[in-house]
Amino acid sequence: MFFKFCSDLVVRVGLVASPALADILERFVEDEHKLNGIVRVVRKRYFQSKTYKKRQLYVYMCKGKLMQNKEVFEKYFKHDFMTLVSDKVPNVRIAMAKVLRHHFMKEISGAFLDDQDINDTIRVLKQDPCDDVREVLREVETQTSDEGREVTLESF
């Protein structure tokens, strides 16, 4: 039923249904086989989709409760999520910026506030060619890089 709602032609329906992924994954955290199956379907249908709306929905699936579950997010979603920083469609990058802004500004004990990779992702998005992406993250403060290196899209 979850995938049916996420694939609905009305975009709002998918946006409302997307946070339920965290609850679904939580139910199957003890069954690695089923959990891997769900993650595989999400990755194939949404992350690897040719349509930007489904990639954007993938980003919104990662928001909030899923991102707060550090172990699951880090193991199954973090790498794919971060690669969308170079998505060709600005709307996907804007969605990423909104999700990261929410995590850094609203979730006081955000699981990834000190994560170097996520902080680097924000740094890259702050250099995005699209003004709207940069504007969303204008007020977000990142942790300083341990190495003092400059992070760019090419080096990321």
Side-chain angles (χ1 to χ4, degrees), residues 36-121:
N36 282 326
I38 295 167
V39 170
R40 202 171 27 256
V41 170
V42 169
R43 186 174 286 136
K44 185 173 172 69
R45 285 190 190 177
Y46 300 98
F47 171 70
Q48 297 173 345
S49 177
K50 293 186 187 313
T51 66
Y52 85 89
K53 289 188 182 218
K54 288 191 177 180
R55 292 191 310 275
Q56 188 176 16
L57 191 58
Y58 176 85
V59 170
Y60 284 120
M61 286 178 186
C62 293
K63 181 179 180 181
K65 191 173 180 182
L66 179 58
M67 205 170 207
Q68 288 288 46
N69 187 341
K70 187 171 184 165
E71 184 180 318
V72 171
F73 183 79
E74 205 158 33
K75 184 173 181 180
Y76 297 105
F77 297 96
K78 181 181 170 184
H79 177 71
D80 292 340
F81 178 80
M82 289 181 352
T83 61
L84 290 173
V85 75
S86 61
D87 196 276
K88 61 186 175 195
V89 180
N91 289 16
V92 175
R93 298 190 313 270
I94 290 169
M96 274 191 78
K98 287 179 178 179
V99 166
L100 289 169
R101 182 178 197 278
H102 175 80
H103 186 73
F104 273 67
M105 306 284 281
K106 302 281 190 219
E107 295 171 347
I108 295 170
S109 60
F112 291 95
L113 295 179
D114 296 324
D115 185 277
Q116 191 63 50
D117 294 331
I118 296 294
N119 278 276
D120 286 348
T121 302

Side-chain angles (χ1 to χ4, degrees), residues 85 119-128 151-153 156:
V85 75
N119 278 276
D120 286 348
T121 302
I122 291 174
R123 285 187 197 89
V124 170
L125 286 170
K126 283 184 166 190
Q127 300 169 20
D128 196 273
V151 181
T152 63
L153 183 57
F156 192 69

Side-chain angles (χ1 to χ4, degrees), residues 125-147:
L125 286 170
K126 283 184 166 190
Q127 300 169 20
D128 196 273
C130 177
D131 292 336
D132 294 332
V133 174
R134 292 191 313 267
E135 180 59 29
V136 171
L137 292 170
R138 185 174 44 85
E139 297 174 359
V140 176
E141 296 292 325
T142 57
Q143 300 294 324
T144 55
S145 177
D146 294 337
E147 301 137 18

